[in-house]
């Protein structure tokens, strides 16, 4: 809500202050301090179809010296998915076709608690501590049917497969934050320490049998993946104005993470030795930065340099996947802005970024739900690097604002998913490093408030890309273009009635192996304030047209894999919220 926002920073090319990981931009919403004292809170309950029951209680107590807060929540949600696949494999001019149908019922049962407090030591020193805990239990059932066709197109044989999957997860976070301001305006020191620890147990139980031409006995498959992680983070930022227009900012960040994965598989109660292993992932990333900014008349600039050292290792009990990567990188950033006229700016920016592979992209032990289409991580996957350039124009006048921009990104060692057919006839997909990707694009963001009660906003992004690289002797060079758009509208009427609607569209795109067809979806919500603005009731419809269908085609040497899947269908929910001693727009204090 606008009354709670101090300012909004839209950062498409992040500065050296932010960690170099990732290639996406940042939207930084800075809220005003809550100056209202005493006891306040809110209660929220909702119900939806498919089943989606939620309850949330948020409480706060504030005095001149302390601000205590807590949030307790519960959620029980069902999700239904379906997928159709067609596999065509050509051998010696003969097509072998497999038709596959998957149906999945997923249930999430979650409870969480978050509590903490701010201690105002004095006007210039604040200490914050908090604890967050959530327990989530995933209970899923997937039904798969494989129909193999003969040369005439008739069903030659059928295999049915049912998987029951359970995954209890425990996640915990301890966090402490210290903020010190100084007599000098704008001078500030901020320090954070954070400790995350979690564990989960992924349990697959699969029963498989052939039903055509004759019914066979069940084959049973059990897999168990016990994972745990400990993650320690510490960082500090210091901002010091040097003159009325210039400032120097410095800081450091360190993250130490250890993930352990103990994996085993039994087929008909017999242990499979090649799928019995324990994997350890160790990650240590340290970074320091400095940046200097100044304004000279209508011209302003911000120059920064971030240095990060990465030490990432993966090893296993059987010494099959030992790999260690250590590298130190420089990440320069440069931002320039010129005020052409009142409320009219021209901006030019550059940043170098890194995208390190996540643990799931490195872990060679994937699930066994669909034996015909398996996924595994690649322990030898390298990080990819991106040099990003952008020139933007921002114009604001009256009820209208427009922000067009041109951007260019050059990426080395970019990630791509490659699917190959194995000697047993099944297909395996893994992430690999290809050579380069060059992306040239145009983006347009705009807002328009033609009336006090109506707000329109939209975004359009079009880009061309040129990818180059080889894997296993196959060329994956691709040139293509794609686009996406988002359109949002908000209408506020008298007596606390408001309506919101959005439309999203993503055009088709293709890489060296995969064609992803176009997709669109729309969301709608209507809300009414009640009880003199102390409460509200909201009807929310997500994926209104049930159109979030992922339609893709993967091609390779002698094979073509077509799939059409619906991960989440239409969802309708009704929510009631009641607030006491708090404003309508005041946000809950939640974990990051």
């Amino acid at each position: 809500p606008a009354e709670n926002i101090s300012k909004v920073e839209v950062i498409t090319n992040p500065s050296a202050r932010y960690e170099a990981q990732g290639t996406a931009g940042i939207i930084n919403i800075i809220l005003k301090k809550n100056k209202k004292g005493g006891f306040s809170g809110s209660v929220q309950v909702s119900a939806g179809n498919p089943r989606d029951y939620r309850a949330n209680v948020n409480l706060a107590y504030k005095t001149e010296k302390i601000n205590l807060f807590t949030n307790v929540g519960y959620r029980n949600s069902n999700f239904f998915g379906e997928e159709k696949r067609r596999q065509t494999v050509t051998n010696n001019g003969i097509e072998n076709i497999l038709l596959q149908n998957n149906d999945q019922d997923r249930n999430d049962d979650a409870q969480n608690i978050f509590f903490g407090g701010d201690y105002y030591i004095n006007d210039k020193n604040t200490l914050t501590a908090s604890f967050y805990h959530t327990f989530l239990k995933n209970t899923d059932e997937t039904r798969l049917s494989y129909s193999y066709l003969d040369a005439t197109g008739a069903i030659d044989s059928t295999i049915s497969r049912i998987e029951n999957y359970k995954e209890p997860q425990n996640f915990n976070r301890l966090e402490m934050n210290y903020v010190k301001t100084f007599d000098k305006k704008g001078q500030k020191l901020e320090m954070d320490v954070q400790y995350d620890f979690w564990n989960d147990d992924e349990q697959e139980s699969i029963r498989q049998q052939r039903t055509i031409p004759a019914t066979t006995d069940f084959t049973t498959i059990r897999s168990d993946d016990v994972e745990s992680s400990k993650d320690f983070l510490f960082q500090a930022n210091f901002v010091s104005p040097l003159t009325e227009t210039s400032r120097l900012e410095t800081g450091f960040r360190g993250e130490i993470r250890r993930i352990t994965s103990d994996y085993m598989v039994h087929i008909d109660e017999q242990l499979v030795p090649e799928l019995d292993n324990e994997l350890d992932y160790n990650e240590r990333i340290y970074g320091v930065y400095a940046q200097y900014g100044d304004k000279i008349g209508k011209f302003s600039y911000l120059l920064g340099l971030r240095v990060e050292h990465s030490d990432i290792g993966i090893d296993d009990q059987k010494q099959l996947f030992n790999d260690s990567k250590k590298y130190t990188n420089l990440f320069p950033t440069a931002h320039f802005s010129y005020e052409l006229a009142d409320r009219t700016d021209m901006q030019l920016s550059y940043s170098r970024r890194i995208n390190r592979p996540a643990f799931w992209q490195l872990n060679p032990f994937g699930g066994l739900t669909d034996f015909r289409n398996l996924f595994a991580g690649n322990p030898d996957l390298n990080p990819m690097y991106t040099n990003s350039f952008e020139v933007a124009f921002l114009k604001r006048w009256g009820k209208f604002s427009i922000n067009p921009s041109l951007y260019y990104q050059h990426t080395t060692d970019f990630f791509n998913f490659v699917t190959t057919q194995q000697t047993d006839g099944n297909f395996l997909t893994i992430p690999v490093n290809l050579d380069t990707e060059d992306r040239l694009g145009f983006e347009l963001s705009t807002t328009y408030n033609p009336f006090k009660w109506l707000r329109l906003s939209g975004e359009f992004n079009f880009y061309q890309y040129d990818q180059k690289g080889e894997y296993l002797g196959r060329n994956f060079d691709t040139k293509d273009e794609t686009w996406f758009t988002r359109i949002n509208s908000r209408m506020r009427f008298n007596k606390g009635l408001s309506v919101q609607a959005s439309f999203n569209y993503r055009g088709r795109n293709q890489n060296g192996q995969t064609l992803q067809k176009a997709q669109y979806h729309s969301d709608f919500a209507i809300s009414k304030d009640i009880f003199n603005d102390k409460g509200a009731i909201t009807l929310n419809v997500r994926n209104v047209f049930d159109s979030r269908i992922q339609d893709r085609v993967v091609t390779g040497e002698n094979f073509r894999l077509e799939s059409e899947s619906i991960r989440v269908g239409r969802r309708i929910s009704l929510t009631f919220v009641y607030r006491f001693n708090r404003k309508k727009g005041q946000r809950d204090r939640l974990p990051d």
Side-chain angles (χ1 to χ4, degrees):
E3 62 269 22
N4 275 40
I5 295 176
S6 173
K7 63 178 178 177
V8 177
E9 299 174 338
V10 181
I11 310 168
T12 52
N13 239 353
S15 70
R17 172 173 183 169
Y18 301 97
E19 58 179 317
Q21 169 71 20
T23 56
I26 297 171
I27 297 178
N28 188 24
I29 301 176
I30 301 172
L31 301 179
K32 298 176 181 177
K33 288 186 177 180
N34 176 23
K35 297 182 179 179
K36 193 170 184 179
F39 183 69
S40 63
S42 66
V43 177
Q44 179 176 305
V45 293
S46 67
N49 182 39
R51 186 173 69 184
D52 191 6
Y53 301 139
R54 300 171 187 248
N56 188 279
V57 177
N58 188 83
L59 302 173
Y61 177 74
K62 188 175 188 299
T63 68
E64 290 185 0
K65 297 294 291 185
I66 61 170
N67 177 33
L68 303 177
F69 48 85
T70 186
N71 183 280
V72 180
Y74 172 76
R75 173 173 65 89
N76 190 293
S77 304
N78 282 352
F79 302 89
F80 302 100
E82 58 181 287
E83 181 178 33
K84 295 180 180 179
R85 289 177 173 265
R86 179 186 176 94
Q87 297 182 5
T88 304
V89 179
T90 305
N91 291 315
N92 300 320
I94 300 175
E95 288 189 346
N96 299 286
I97 297 175
L98 166 63
L99 301 181
Q100 178 180 339
N101 289 286
N102 305 337
D103 292 298
Q104 187 178 62
D105 299 341
R106 310 191 307 276
N107 176 264
D108 293 348
D109 189 274
Q111 306 96 43
N112 64 270
I113 182 170
F114 172 62
F115 61 87
D118 303 311
Y119 175 52
Y120 308 109
I121 302 170
N122 51 45
D123 290 342
K124 300 186 181 301
N125 294 271
T126 302
L127 184 66
T128 301
S130 65
F131 173 71
Y132 175 63
H133 169 76
T134 181
F135 174 76
L136 170 64
K137 185 177 182 180
N138 297 319
T139 306
D140 308 337
E141 181 179 280
T142 305
R143 298 168 294 277
L144 305 95
S145 174
Y146 305 89
S147 297
Y148 297 84
L149 308 185
D150 61 21
T152 66
I155 295 178
D156 178 71
S157 63
T158 298
I159 294 175
S160 66
R161 188 177 175 100
I162 298 178
E163 181 217 41
N164 288 290
Y165 176 85
K166 294 182 180 179
E167 183 184 9
Q169 299 177 334
N170 275 290
F171 176 84
N172 305 275
R173 169 174 292 169
L174 287 164
E175 189 170 10
M176 184 169 290
N177 170 265
Y178 170 70
V179 178
K180 178 177 179 59
T181 58
F182 298 84
D183 292 334
K184 191 174 185 179
K185 183 179 179 181
Q187 193 171 45
K188 182 179 179 181
L189 171 66
E190 187 169 2
M191 302 177 66
D192 292 279
V193 178
Q194 180 178 298
Y195 177 56
D196 296 346
F197 52 102
W198 59 262
N199 63 78
D200 66 17
D201 185 2
E202 302 177 20
Q203 307 166 34
E204 286 181 309
S205 177
I206 300 170
R207 287 165 59 87
Q208 175 181 303
Q209 72 173 163
R210 186 182 301 273
T211 57
I212 296 176
T215 302
T216 61
D217 292 336
F218 280 104
T219 297
T220 62
I221 304 169
R222 291 190 297 108
S223 74
D224 199 12
D225 186 8
V226 180
E227 293 186 344
S228 63
S229 175
K230 294 179 174 61
D231 187 359
F232 181 68
L233 168 70
F234 53 93
Q235 62 180 4
N237 298 290
F238 179 66
V239 181
S240 179
L242 302 180
T243 66
E244 290 186 1
T245 59
S246 66
R247 75 180 189 276
L248 176 66
E249 185 173 349
T250 58
F252 67 87
R253 174 188 172 95
E255 186 167 10
I256 302 171
R257 174 179 297 169
R258 178 181 176 85
I259 301 176
T260 298
S261 174
D262 190 358
Y263 188 73
M264 65 176 64
V265 175
H266 291 79
I267 297 180
D268 290 333
E269 302 306 320
Q270 297 295 315
L271 181 67
V272 182
E274 60 267 28
L275 295 177
D276 176 26
N277 209 336
E278 181 177 311
L279 194 75
D280 291 323
Y281 172 81
N282 292 282
E283 176 185 279
R284 290 172 290 275
I285 301 173
Y286 308 103
V288 295
Y289 80 93
Q291 61 183 24
Y292 174 79
D294 197 0
K295 184 175 183 181
I296 306 171
K298 296 183 178 182
F299 175 73
S300 60
Y301 63 91
L302 179 64
L303 303 176
L305 178 64
R306 187 177 188 92
V307 182
E308 289 191 353
H309 175 74
S310 305
D311 182 356
I312 298 174
I314 187 168
D315 62 83
D316 67 292
Q317 201 172 53
K318 296 184 177 180
Q319 302 294 299
L320 299 175
F321 305 105
N322 285 1
D323 205 344
S324 179
K325 299 182 186 295
K326 297 181 181 180
Y327 42 89
T328 301
N329 302 116
L330 302 179
F331 299 98
T333 61
H335 297 74
F336 306 96
S337 178
Y338 186 77
E339 186 178 344
L340 299 173
D342 183 39
R343 299 171 66 85
T344 305
D345 299 308
M346 180 70 74
Q347 300 168 347
L348 176 66
S349 63
Y350 162 77
S351 68
R352 184 172 188 252
R353 311 285 292 168
I354 186 174
N355 196 347
R356 301 178 186 88
F359 176 67
W360 66 270
Q361 294 171 307
L362 297 171
N363 189 351
F365 303 110
L368 299 173
T369 304
D370 183 0
F371 76 102
R372 286 291 295 178
N373 303 278
L374 297 174
F375 174 86
N378 178 5
D380 195 40
L381 195 64
N382 290 315
M384 66 180 190
Y385 298 90
T386 299
N387 287 286
S388 180
F389 303 83
E390 182 180 37
V391 57
F393 174 82
L394 176 61
K395 174 64 178 177
R396 303 174 295 272
W397 66 90
K399 302 175 180 179
F400 186 71
S401 70
I402 186 171
N403 182 200
S405 63
L406 290 172
Y407 61 90
Y408 169 72
Q409 297 172 350
H410 175 73
T411 300
T412 57
D413 285 331
F414 80 97
F415 301 157
N416 196 27
F417 291 98
V418 172
T419 300
T420 56
Q421 189 174 23
Q422 306 301 290
T423 55
D424 60 4
N426 298 326
F427 292 92
L428 176 67
T429 300
I430 65 171
V432 302
N433 292 111
L434 296 185
D435 292 336
T436 62
E437 182 191 66
D438 290 284
R439 183 176 296 191
L440 178 64
F442 168 77
E443 185 173 15
L444 176 65
S445 300
T446 182
T447 60
Y448 181 45
N449 296 75
F451 307 103
K452 190 175 182 179
W453 54 270
L454 176 62
R455 175 184 174 85
L456 302 172
S457 63
E459 177 186 355
F460 173 79
N461 194 317
F462 171 86
Y463 61 90
Q464 297 176 324
Y465 55 93
D466 184 1
Q467 300 175 347
K468 297 184 183 298
E470 290 187 359
Y471 180 71
L472 296 179
R474 180 178 173 182
N475 186 287
F476 285 89
D477 290 0
T478 303
K479 286 186 178 181
D480 202 359
E481 58 191 35
T482 188
W483 63 281
F484 63 86
T485 187
R486 301 184 183 94
I487 301 172
N488 302 284
S489 65
R490 185 188 67 195
M491 293 169 282
R492 289 182 174 177
F493 303 102
N494 293 330
K495 299 182 180 180
L497 179 66
S498 62
V499 177
Q500 294 187 27
S502 67
F503 176 79
N504 298 264
Y505 181 90
R506 180 174 290 276
R508 65 174 293 283
N509 64 86
Q510 186 169 10
N511 61 28
Q513 192 175 34
T514 302
L515 168 65
Q516 181 74 51
K517 298 183 180 180
Q519 182 186 108
Y520 72 93
H521 71 275
S522 184
D523 301 324
F524 173 83
I526 182 170
S527 179
K528 178 69 171 67
D529 292 333
I530 55 178
F531 302 142
N532 295 322
D533 287 345
K534 292 183 178 180
I537 187 166
T538 303
L539 175 66
N540 198 320
V541 184
R542 298 186 180 277
N543 193 14
V544 174
F545 305 109
D546 202 10
S547 58
R548 298 194 73 166
I549 301 173
Q550 189 175 72
D551 198 344
R552 65 172 57 183
V553 179
V554 179
T555 56
E557 186 176 358
N558 301 323
F559 69 82
R560 177 182 174 90
L561 312 178
E562 303 168 70
S563 65
E564 181 183 282
S565 63
I566 299 175
R567 179 71 176 171
V568 178
R570 182 189 299 113
R571 300 186 68 83
I572 303 173
S573 64
L574 189 66
T575 301
F576 169 75
V577 60
Y578 183 79
R579 299 173 290 270
F580 49 94
N581 196 27
R582 40 184 346 205
K583 294 181 179 179
K584 173 183 174 181
Q586 189 171 326
R587 291 181 179 268
D588 292 342
R589 186 76 171 263
L590 299 172
D592 294 335

